[in-house]
């Protein structure tokens, strides 16, 4: 085992135990993270470590970005810039893993009634309203104008990787 692998394994074990503790103490907690793919010097081993972390921690959501150099920053001048094709390929792999995880976690919400803060009419479909759970998950439901700005109980009847769907109760 390389030094990196040993450190990575110990770090993942520490993260695992912390996440397990949080999930035990706060049932239903939503855990998110930010990930930048393709930072200068990122190796395939580094990236595989990121994918391994996703699989172990099972984040509800990730905010992911492809690194792009910004003129005048130290990172833009670093050696070992990652080719765009490699960054894109890694980014697609990252999203595929996270989509599976998010779908699996969201499926666990089907059948539950969740408290949702109604944002108003959905930006993508004027026939439904949208809102967010306390864990910031997007929920689409049949509602009316009087629901906007209020907490609404919504029974979830369908889930996708990035959204929950249900009926106001």
């Amino acid at each position: 085992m390389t030094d990196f692998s040993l450190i990575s394994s110990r770090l993942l074990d520490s993260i695992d135990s912390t996440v397990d503790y949080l999930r035990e103490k706060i049932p239903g907690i939503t855990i998110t993270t930010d990930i930048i793919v393709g930072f200068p010097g990122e190796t395939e081993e580094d990236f595989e470590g990121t994918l391994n972390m996703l699989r172990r921690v099972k984040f509800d959501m990730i905010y992911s970005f492809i690194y792009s150099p910004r003129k005048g920053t130290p990172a833009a001048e670093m050696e070992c810039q990652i080719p765009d094709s490699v960054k894109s390929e890694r980014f697609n792999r990252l999203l595929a893993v996270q989509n599976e995880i998010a779908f699996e976690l969201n499926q666990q919400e089907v059948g539950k009634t969740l408290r949702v803060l109604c944002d108003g009419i959905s930006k993508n479909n004027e026939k439904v309203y949208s809102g967010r759970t306390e864990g910031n998950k997007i929920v689409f439901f049949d509602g009316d104008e009087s629901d906007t700005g209020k907490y609404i109980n919504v029974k979830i009847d369908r889930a996708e990787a990035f959204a929950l769907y249900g009926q106001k109760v």
Side-chain angles (χ1 to χ4, degrees), residues 66-151:
I66 295 175
Y67 167 79
S68 59
R70 299 286 189 257
K71 188 176 181 178
T73 63
E77 307 303 320
M78 291 174 70
E79 300 290 323
C80 302
Q81 296 289 325
I82 308 299
D84 288 343
S85 60
V86 172
K87 290 190 283 190
S88 292
E89 185 270 335
R90 288 178 181 169
F91 186 74
N92 290 334
R93 286 169 44 206
L94 178 88
L95 292 183
V97 169
Q98 181 57 33
N99 287 345
E100 287 179 25
I101 292 166
F103 180 75
E104 174 189 321
L105 293 173
N106 281 347
Q107 283 297 114
Q108 296 172 15
E109 303 300 327
V110 174
K112 294 180 181 177
T113 298
L114 302 177
R115 185 173 183 232
V116 175
L117 178 59
C118 180
D119 296 328
I121 295 173
S122 167
K123 294 175 182 146
N124 299 325
N125 180 350
E126 358 179 290
K127 295 179 182 176
V128 297
Y129 281 72
S130 68
R132 294 191 179 256
T133 66
E134 292 173 339
N136 205 31
K137 291 187 180 194
I138 298 172
V139 180
F140 296 103
F141 58 96
D142 294 329
D144 57 61
E145 187 60 35
S146 68
D147 295 332
T148 302
K150 295 179 183 170
Y151 285 101

Side-chain angles (χ1 to χ4, degrees), residues 2-9 43 45-46 49:
T2 65
D3 287 343
F4 174 81
S5 295
L6 183 60
I7 292 168
S8 179
S9 177
T43 65
E45 183 182 23
D46 295 336

